[in-house]
Amino acid sequence: MRGIALERRKVIGVAAGLAVLPVWWGLRQVVSGAKGDWHTDTAPLERAFPLLGPLTDAKWVSSRDSDRGIPSPELVLSGFARLTPGKLAELAVAHAFVSEGPADEFSSWFEKPLKGEGPENPRWVRSHELDRDGSGYSTSLWFDRRSDTVRFWALNPYG
């Protein structure tokens, strides 16, 4: 009888430990702010958006990120990047800009880590000439003049 009681305690202990593990992981994600869920490398963005030139900083996500069971068949990049000083002024000389902000605040499942990120109180402008559409890819770029930040959303940016 004593052996059965000991085995039952082991099973209960292991089950309790397994129940605590997801809670611990969830709390760790909340405390850390899930900051590890975005990319900071600029090279892929510079390849996707060559007109923006070298970028100095970035926070972005991809529809192919995450451990979801079914990967996205299409690649979407979304996030923020910082332009080199003077780059936006250079673009404004060559392209027409209008005051226009993004329609949504990161509504896709993979964009959740970006909520609350980006420049404070941005005044977005956009050049439809810089956005690309057709051949299965499209890009939307919004620029904040005060912070030299670009917010981007791109479907299949590499063609």
Side-chain angles (χ1 to χ4, degrees):
M1 287 294 232
R2 189 169 187 220
I4 293 173
L6 184 58
E7 287 299 317
R8 189 179 336 162
R9 286 185 194 146
K10 283 182 184 178
V11 169
I12 291 171
V14 168
L18 290 174
V20 170
L21 187 60
V23 172
W24 170 81
W25 183 84
L27 288 173
R28 193 175 130 248
Q29 293 294 89
V30 169
V31 169
S32 71
K35 300 279 190 221
D37 290 345
W38 61 53
H39 302 274
T40 58
D41 46 336
T42 59
L45 302 178
E46 291 167 356
R47 284 192 309 274
F49 314 120
L51 289 176
L52 301 182
L55 301 169
T56 62
D57 186 28
K59 287 182 183 173
W60 59 278
V61 294
S62 162
S63 61
R64 294 188 183 156
D65 293 343
S66 182
D67 57 354
R68 290 178 54 143
I70 302 172
S72 175
E74 296 186 307
L75 174 63
V76 176
L77 302 180
S78 180
F80 300 98
R82 177 103 14 118
L83 304 171
T84 56
K87 185 62 179 181
L88 184 53
E90 179 185 313
L91 290 170
V93 169
H95 304 280
F97 281 83
V98 296
S99 293
E100 182 181 331
D104 65 358
E105 183 61 28
F106 302 114
S107 60
S108 294
W109 60 267
F110 68 93
E111 294 176 304
K112 289 179 184 176
L114 296 172
K115 286 188 178 188
E117 296 298 320
E120 193 171 315
N121 300 316
R123 293 188 180 145
W124 299 114
V125 294
R126 182 176 186 185
S127 172
H128 292 279
E129 297 169 25
L130 294 174
D131 294 347
R132 302 178 301 182
D133 292 305
S135 301
Y137 63 89
S138 66
T139 299
S140 297
L141 304 170
W142 299 272
F143 300 87
D144 178 38
R145 292 181 191 265
R146 294 183 302 171
S147 65
D148 286 324
T149 299
V150 59
R151 177 178 168 186
F152 56 88
W153 185 95
L155 171 65
N156 297 325
Y158 305 111

